[in-house]
Amino acid sequence: MKVTLTVNGKTSDVDLDDPAMPLLYALRDGLALKGPRFGCGLAQCGACTVHIDGQAVRSCVYPVSSVGKGKVITLEGLGSPEHPHALQQAFIDEQAVQCGYCINGMIMQAAALLRTNKKPSEDEIKAALAGNLCRCGTHLRIVRAIRRASATVA
């Protein structure tokens, strides 16, 4: 079975063996996008977070068949190496990445937050990221990066 997805502004067909297959596998295996990562497979760590029509979604448990006509944005779709999104640049500037495994989820969750709250407080940032796990301990830098980006996101 083939499913048509709109990902990062491009329409692509993905072959499926099972319509219940998680969106994460379609993105990584079918479309070779490496931003969203497999972390826990239970929607508990956030490493697989993407946006569907502007909402942060855990793609490891979201069936690809449920996307329908929704527009998917991955980390690669926020910005490019030549023109990074304000959050991506802020994470670079604050050196908020250590091992990098959680960063996809942190940035995608933060982008969803900044879409609805342009100037979040530190407590609001921490609350928004509460479901994202990071073992490296760069939380303080991550919060600083989000605060930095909120100063430039209009």
Side-chain angles (χ1 to χ4, degrees):
M1 150 183 196
K2 240 185 230 307
V3 90
T4 301
L5 298 174
T6 302
V7 180
N8 300 332
K10 298 176 185 168
T11 302
S12 302
D13 289 330
V14 178
D15 289 318
L16 302 179
D17 292 331
D18 179 1
M21 179 177 82
L23 174 61
L24 177 63
Y25 300 140
L27 296 172
R28 288 186 64 85
D29 300 336
L31 299 176
L33 296 168
K34 303 303 181 196
R37 303 188 191 284
F38 181 87
C40 66
L42 301 169
Q44 294 179 355
C45 74
C48 66
T49 304
V50 300
H51 294 173
I52 299 177
D53 293 332
Q55 299 297 311
V57 172
R58 304 295 170 95
S59 67
C60 70
V61 297
Y62 196 90
V64 71
S65 59
S66 295
V67 175
K69 296 197 182 296
K71 292 180 180 19
V72 179
I73 301 292
T74 68
L75 185 64
E76 294 91 342
L78 282 184
S80 67
E82 300 80 24
H83 302 286
H85 183 277
L87 276 166
Q88 293 167 320
Q89 188 61 55
F91 271 66
I92 293 165
D93 294 343
E94 292 293 337
Q95 298 181 6
V97 179
Q98 193 163 2
C99 84
Y101 213 81
C102 72
I103 295 305
N104 173 77
M106 295 291 188
I107 291 175
M108 296 305 288
Q109 194 67 47
L113 169 66
L114 293 180
R115 188 178 348 279
T116 60
N117 182 351
K118 302 292 185 201
K119 302 291 180 205
S121 68
E122 187 170 321
D123 288 339
E124 290 169 323
I125 293 169
K126 289 178 181 178
L129 298 180
N132 292 72
L133 302 179
C134 170
R135 295 180 58 159
C136 296
T138 61
H139 292 85
L140 295 175
R141 290 180 182 181
I142 289 169
V143 171
R144 277 198 316 258
I146 297 167
R147 301 254 352 230
R148 178 188 285 241
S150 72
T152 62
V153 174

